[in-house]
Each structure stands twice: as structure tokens, then as C-alpha cells.
Amino acid sequence: MSLVKLNIKGISYSQTQNGAYALILNEVDGDRKLPIVIGAFEAQSIAIALEKEISPPRPLTHDLFKNFADRFDIVVKQVIIHKLVDGVFYSSLICERDKIEEIIDARTSDAIALALRFQAPIFTYKNILDKAGIYLKVNPKKEDEEDTNDGVIMDDLVASELESETPKENLKGKSLKELHIMLDEAVASEDYEKAAHIRDEISKREQ
């Protein structure tokens, strides 16, 4: 079975199910997206790894794993999402130490959080993408474009995930100085989702 390389498109918050998120993976050499429902902690850990400007005051579990692996010269070389059963994705970490390769089972959300920290590529098998991949139009459709919907939506929750956005605090009336103070407070209190929204607002104004 051939492997397909994926990258992370983003994380979408569910307004229909408390604490649920959809991690959206994108086919590197194609247009299909692979949505995976994950928990709040894993979503936070992945978001922090993506947001280079946000540094938690204490290491999260995945950061601790990375520090531990670095200390003992263990490298995660790649992550493979290798199985899909009843809507649940199964993944493996391909690790190496002293030129000896080991394969370790992991939850997909944990595997991707670690892949980001090790800068390791993420793959899945073509048959999994054929089964669970969807086509998601991010930009408005142009007049000469045709609708394409050959993928399969896993369930109604994922469909609603792709349409929703994380509720955001109204930051428009805040000054840049106030935003920077709020950002520091959000990071200190480990509210990284809020910190990401504040950072985005700061970035827009400083462009």
C-alpha cells in the first residue's frame, strides 16, 4: 500500500459538542482533507506546537516526552496513520535510537503532537484517505470552477466541525498595549487558545 504525505491544515472547534475539536490534515499532493476528532488537551498541545510565539511556562506532556527522548537520543522519524476502524484512527511512531528502528503504537492526536515537536513527517495509507478523505473548499468558488465532492464525510460531527469557528473574545476595542498584557496573562494562566486569538489580533494590527 502506498503512503500519502499529510500536513496540518488547522484545528476547528465544535460548537455542537463541548470539548470536541477536529484536527484537519491536508493531502500534500492533492486536495483532500482528513478530519480527525480529538480532545481539548490534545488540540491545545498541537496548537501550541504550531504557534511558535507561544511558550508555555511549564512543559506539557508532549514537551516532556520530547525532552526525555532528546536526553536518551531517541528520535521520532515519522508518524503513520495506519488503520481506521469504526471511525477511530490508529497511528504508529517510527522511532530510532543507535540506528535501531522501533515502531510504537500511539493515539493519532498524541502522534501528531509529537511529530510537530520532532519535525517529523506525517503519512497515511492511500486506502485510508480514499475512505475518510473529504474535499473542503476553503476559498469562495470561482465562476469557472466545478464542485467536487468525491470524498466521504465520516460523520455529522466532523461536518459541523469544518463549518464552525472558535468563539472569540471581542478584542477590537483593546489597544496594542492592552493586547500584549492580555497575551502575557493568557500564557501565564495556560489559556493557550485565548492566547492564540490575542496573538492573531496583534499580528493583524502590526502588519
Side-chain angles (χ1 to χ4, degrees):
M1 291 182 289
S2 59
L3 287 172
V4 179
K5 190 174 182 179
L6 304 170
N7 58 25
I8 297 175
K9 184 69 177 177
I11 301 173
S12 176
Y13 180 73
S14 173
Q15 296 177 340
T16 59
Q17 181 172 329
N18 187 31
Y21 290 76
L23 171 66
I24 314 300
L25 301 176
N26 187 71
E27 182 182 16
V28 171
D29 295 320
D31 298 322
R32 287 177 294 183
K33 310 293 184 291
L34 189 65
I36 301 174
V37 177
I38 62 176
F41 172 78
E42 292 78 12
Q44 174 181 276
S45 183
I46 291 169
I48 289 171
L50 290 169
E51 305 293 349
K52 304 301 183 184
E53 295 92 345
I54 298 176
S55 178
R58 299 177 297 168
L60 301 179
T61 303
H62 298 110
D63 298 318
L64 176 61
F65 185 100
K66 174 67 163 58
N67 294 338
F68 180 90
D70 288 345
R71 183 66 60 89
F72 292 96
D73 296 322
I74 300 168
V75 177
V76 174
K77 298 190 69 177
Q78 63 182 15
V79 164
I80 299 177
I81 304 170
H82 63 83
K83 186 167 64 173
L84 172 62
V85 179
D86 296 330
V88 178
F89 292 90
Y90 294 79
S91 295
S92 296
L93 300 171
I94 312 302
C95 305
E96 184 179 272
R97 181 172 184 263
D98 295 333
K99 298 183 179 181
I100 298 174
E101 191 171 274
E102 299 284 351
I103 300 175
I104 301 174
D105 286 335
R107 295 189 307 167
T108 297
S109 54
D110 290 329
I112 291 173
L114 290 172
L116 285 168
R117 286 161 171 82
F118 283 90
Q119 298 183 334
I122 303 166
F123 297 93
T124 191
Y125 289 108
K126 183 178 181 297
N127 65 320
I128 293 177
L129 196 57
D130 290 341
K131 181 179 179 182
I134 68 171
Y135 287 91
L136 174 65
K137 288 188 178 296
V138 177
N139 298 318
K141 183 170 70 70
K142 298 178 181 178
E143 290 182 1
D144 57 348
E145 290 179 341
E146 295 182 359
D147 288 327
T148 310
N149 189 23
D150 297 328
V152 178
I153 297 178
M154 290 194 299
D155 55 36
D156 292 338
L157 172 60
V158 170
S160 65
E161 294 276 358
L162 301 179
E163 299 285 328
S164 64
E165 295 182 353
T166 308
K168 298 178 181 178
E169 181 179 346
N170 184 9
L171 303 173
K172 301 297 183 184
K174 305 293 184 182
S175 67
L176 267 176
K177 182 178 180 180
E178 289 175 320
L179 289 174
H180 280 289
I181 293 172
M182 290 173 64
L183 177 60
D184 291 340
E185 291 174 349
V187 172
S189 62
E190 301 184 16
D191 188 347
Y192 301 113
E193 184 182 351
K194 181 178 179 181
H197 297 325
I198 297 169
R199 193 245 25 244
D200 290 343
E201 180 66 23
I202 292 172
S203 298
K204 288 178 186 177
R205 298 193 193 184
E206 292 182 341
Q207 283 180 350

